[in-house]
Amino acid sequence: NAGKARTEGVELETRFAVDDHWTLGVSGAYAESRVLQYAVDPAAVGNQIGRDPKWTGSTFVDANYPISNLWRVTGHADYTYIGARYDDIFNTPPQLSSYGIYNAKLGVAKESLELYVFGRNLANKFATYTGSVANGGYSILAPRAIGVGASYRF
């Protein structure tokens, strides 16, 4: 409820099929966001919008290989980057630090069924993604998670 704000920037995304089995992708964005009007407290005018990083990006690789007439091996790995940002429109210091996380998934699939193992935040990165002392606390990234899963598409 900032009254009036503006975000301008550029975002690029590409995806490339290397062959029938491999796909690569990358994306990146730069955004300038500013509070233009805030009746509650004009001190926020001109500040960066809270929780809005200037830089973000990601990259991924997908694999899909047949291992029999019915089954195929599937894989996915990605890296996501979130740039430094303030938690609020008053740009209360300190800025929340930038961070990057790695995720991966490896499985087997047949028609609509997929069985897989996965890992999230594989480097066990500790990062604050929202919060400040002024706002009463912080939220942190979930620690590394390793698991198994299954999915079925109807």
Side-chain angles (χ1 to χ4, degrees):
N1 299 331
K4 201 181 240 187
R6 176 179 294 136
T7 300
E8 298 175 323
V10 62
E11 182 173 356
L12 300 172
E13 179 178 346
T14 187
R15 169 181 289 252
F16 176 70
V18 176
D19 58 25
D20 291 341
H21 307 292
W22 292 93
T23 303
L24 305 173
V26 64
S27 67
Y30 175 81
E32 281 282 343
S33 63
R34 294 283 171 230
V35 176
L36 300 177
Q37 179 182 4
Y38 189 56
V40 175
D41 189 343
V45 173
N47 287 349
Q48 182 178 339
I49 296 173
R51 302 181 186 170
D52 195 7
K54 287 186 178 185
W55 292 99
T56 58
S58 66
T59 186
F60 76 87
V61 59
D62 284 330
N64 191 338
Y65 273 92
I67 54 174
S68 75
N69 289 341
L70 296 175
W71 290 92
R72 64 191 188 282
V73 172
T74 60
H76 173 88
D78 64 67
Y79 172 79
T80 301
Y81 171 81
I82 305 296
R85 66 244 168 265
Y86 289 102
D87 186 58
D88 58 35
I89 63 171
F90 299 106
N91 293 177
T92 306
Q95 275 194 328
L96 300 173
S97 297
S98 61
Y99 65 89
I101 57 172
Y102 298 93
N103 305 297
K105 181 170 116 175
L106 180 65
V108 291
K110 157 181 147 169
E111 296 175 5
S112 297
L113 174 67
E114 183 179 19
L115 308 169
Y116 56 88
V117 295
F118 67 88
R120 295 188 191 113
N121 191 7
L122 289 171
N124 204 26
K125 177 73 174 178
F126 179 86
T128 303
Y129 66 87
T130 184
S132 68
V133 173
N135 288 336
Y138 292 89
S139 297
I140 59 171
L141 288 178
R144 178 187 304 122
I146 307 291
V148 296
S151 67
Y152 188 84
R153 291 182 221 28
F154 294 94

